Amino acid sequence: TFLLADSRSGLRYVVPTDPSGGRTFNDNRMWCYRRGRYCKEGEEPDPQYVWTNELQQAYEAALSCNAAEDHAASPSPIQVEAT
């Protein structure tokens, strides 16, 4: 996961580095942007964290940038893990 900041609200959204979130096609759990994970049974996503088209565009741009960096990077013994 990584953080995506909304400059208007000041909220930081925890988003998955994999757009599928690693879930299977029939998993209908909601993603909680505050918790940075799928909601467990009985949980609801935080209603203050509303996903917008602007956030979606920023998310897609961040994923594209990361993919381009990964592709251009040479092999290194040091690995950085997103949190």
Side-chain angles (χ1 to χ4, degrees), residues 7-36:
S7 60
R8 291 184 194 177
S9 68
L11 295 174
R12 295 186 306 173
Y13 292 66
V14 184
V15 295
T17 54
D18 175 0
S20 74
R23 67 182 183 174
T24 58
F25 74 96
N26 61 347
D27 185 344
N28 63 355
R29 293 177 296 161
M30 298 286 294
W31 181 265
C32 179
Y33 295 103
R34 182 181 58 82
R35 295 181 187 103

Side-chain angles (χ1 to χ4, degrees), residues 64-83:
S64 294
C65 181
N66 187 47
E69 288 175 4
D70 287 348
H71 183 67
S74 60
S76 169
I78 300 173
Q79 292 190 0
V80 177
E81 294 184 22
T83 57

Side-chain angles (χ1 to χ4, degrees), residues 22-64:
R23 67 182 183 174
T24 58
F25 74 96
N26 61 347
D27 185 344
N28 63 355
R29 293 177 296 161
M30 298 286 294
W31 181 265
C32 179
Y33 295 103
R34 182 181 58 82
R35 295 181 187 103
R37 62 171 169 76
Y38 288 101
C39 292
K40 295 179 180 177
E41 189 174 327
E43 286 183 335
E44 293 290 326
D46 189 322
Q48 291 183 348
Y49 287 73
V50 178
W51 195 250
T52 65
N53 286 335
E54 290 172 331
L55 286 168
Q56 182 66 33
Q57 291 173 354
Y59 176 60
E60 290 172 2
L63 291 177
S64 294

